[in-house]
Amino acid sequence: MRVLLTGSAGFIGCAIDRALVAAGHEVVRVDVMLSTAHADPVPDAGTHVLDVREAGSWCRLMEGVDVLCHQAALVGAGTTVADLPLYAAHNDLGTAAVLAAATAAGVDRLVLASSMVVYGEGAYECVAHGPVVPSARSPQALAAGDFEARCPCCDGLLASLEVREDAPLAPRSAYAASKVAQEHYALAWARQAGVAVTALRYHNVYGPGMPRDTPYSGVAAMFRSSLERGESPQVFEDGRQRRDFVHVDDVARANVLAVEAVAASEPGTFRPFNVASGRPITIAEVAILLAQNSSLAPSVTGEHRLGDVRHIVASPARAAVELGFRAAVSPEQGLPAFATAPLRG
């Protein structure tokens, strides 16, 4: 198939490009080469340096395209409220412009890069009250080292559950709000234009080619960069917060499966999928795995950031059943290898 891949020069986009080509697909590459994502913003030959917000002016590239794989986005949590217009411009307007251009060019299949941040907090259960939405963790509790989520009914400690795709969306940052908006634009497009959409909700992606220390890097890259500077990784809270870390090669494979599946989907459908390893891990364990071949031990600081969620781990069941996707790289395999993998500047 002919696939137009936006964000093709990014960390995840490059891996998807390689996987699509290896699977026999023809790739049309588009990337605006933002300096926040590319220390050396010089594209490879074959990359069209174009802005998705202006997709109407280059929609000719979509002619003959079978599936649009939309990865282009400004990423990260957003460091200040002043970042809100940037996220709205690149992610919200950019997606709307791409979808309008796709319809003009006759493209009716989309794989959308979404994120687990659309969920906000993870899923929880109280022994006495069953599934509940936890109370917000107060600054006073966090300062006192009380990090666990609590029941809004009895203030009891909650057990963390796997988040499924039908969980309510509750964004907590500018980036998260923009990813929800992308999904909503895609859902509206599916219904209005009678097209098919698959949204892939990535969990914590890591692997070779990941950016180094920037506001947009993940915690795994930050821990690794600390080790390279000869510093112990600094683990916030008590280190017991749980996440799901998924290797970029698995994310790329999930996209290939999604491209092939959405091509056969019924018109007017929108289907989200968690893309996760299915092997939850604590942040302290992430630091330990990265540092296992170093003389530097991770340091659990007790520091905290307001707005951080305590636990969020995903159910990989729907992706396994409907896409045939199961992560091949476990954190125990991938994270130690990532400790010496090449990164972007």
Side-chain angles (χ1 to χ4, degrees):
M1 288 185 292
R2 185 176 173 89
V3 181
L4 190 144
L5 175 62
T6 70
S8 62
F11 163 49
I12 296 174
C14 282
I16 295 171
D17 182 7
R18 291 191 298 270
L20 285 168
V21 170
H25 301 296
E26 177 188 357
V27 181
V28 180
R29 302 168 183 88
V30 171
D31 201 299
V32 74
M33 304 301 294
L34 288 175
S35 60
T36 52
H38 305 277
D40 181 15
V42 177
D44 293 335
T47 299
H48 301 275
V49 182
L50 297 166
D51 194 324
V52 293
R53 294 170 294 182
E54 300 168 0
S57 67
W58 53 261
C59 67
R60 68 189 184 283
L61 289 178
M62 297 189 191
E63 292 175 4
V65 163
D66 299 295
V67 179
L68 170 62
C69 187
H70 184 37
Q71 305 293 317
L74 190 66
V75 301
T79 54
T80 69
V81 173
D83 290 333
L84 283 165
L86 287 173
Y87 284 94
H90 286 281
N91 299 0
D92 301 20
L93 175 60
T95 298
V98 164
L99 298 183
T103 295
V107 179
D108 60 359
R109 296 291 187 272
L110 168 71
V111 173
L112 173 69
S114 187
S115 170
M116 58 90 175
V117 297
V118 300
Y119 297 121
E121 270 286 359
Y124 295 90
E125 184 175 55
C126 175
V127 172
H129 299 97
V132 295
V133 177
S135 303
R137 298 187 298 169
S138 71
Q140 295 79 14
L142 292 169
D146 182 5
F147 300 120
E148 292 294 346
R150 292 187 173 273
C151 177
C153 303
C154 66
D155 201 41
L157 293 176
L158 299 175
S160 174
L161 305 175
E162 289 184 333
V163 179
R164 301 185 182 277
E165 288 87 348
D166 56 359
L169 306 186
R172 292 190 169 203
S173 68
Y175 173 60
S178 72
K179 298 310 283 187
V180 171
Q182 285 184 301
E183 286 201 18
H184 285 173
Y185 279 119
L187 173 60
W189 183 61
R191 290 174 174 170
Q192 286 182 292
V195 299
V197 177
T198 293
L200 300 180
R201 293 172 179 167
Y202 306 154
H203 284 248
N204 297 272
V205 186
Y206 71 96
M210 193 172 188
R212 290 182 181 273
D213 268 336
T214 75
Y216 310 100
S217 295
V219 67
M222 292 180 176
F223 286 166
R224 180 219 154 106
S225 294
S226 294
L227 291 165
E228 288 182 337
R229 293 192 302 268
E231 302 169 358
S232 295
Q234 303 295 293
V235 180
F236 279 16
E237 299 188 13
D238 58 3
R240 296 176 185 170
Q241 56 271 47
R242 297 167 70 240
R243 299 289 188 272
D244 189 298
F245 282 77
V246 59
H247 196 275
V248 68
D249 289 347
D250 281 325
V251 172
R253 190 163 50 83
N255 272 271
V256 174
L257 292 169
V259 162
E260 293 168 352
V262 79
S265 296
E266 291 293 323
T269 58
F270 174 93
R271 197 70 170 152
F273 296 92
N274 289 326
V275 176
S277 74
R279 301 171 177 88
I281 188 171
T282 69
I283 296 299
E285 288 170 333
V286 172
I288 290 167
L289 286 169
L290 286 168
Q292 70 178 22
N293 294 317
S294 167
S295 60
L296 296 166
S299 174
V300 179
T301 66
E303 294 181 44
H304 62 274
R305 293 176 296 196
L306 292 176
D308 277 0
V309 301
R310 180 57 174 171
H311 306 295
I312 179 163
V313 297
S315 168
R318 179 185 288 181
V321 172
E322 298 186 26
L323 297 181
F325 170 74
R326 292 176 178 82
V329 183
S330 71
E332 292 77 15
Q333 297 169 317
L335 287 168
F338 177 60
T340 55
L343 299 184
R344 294 180 182 225

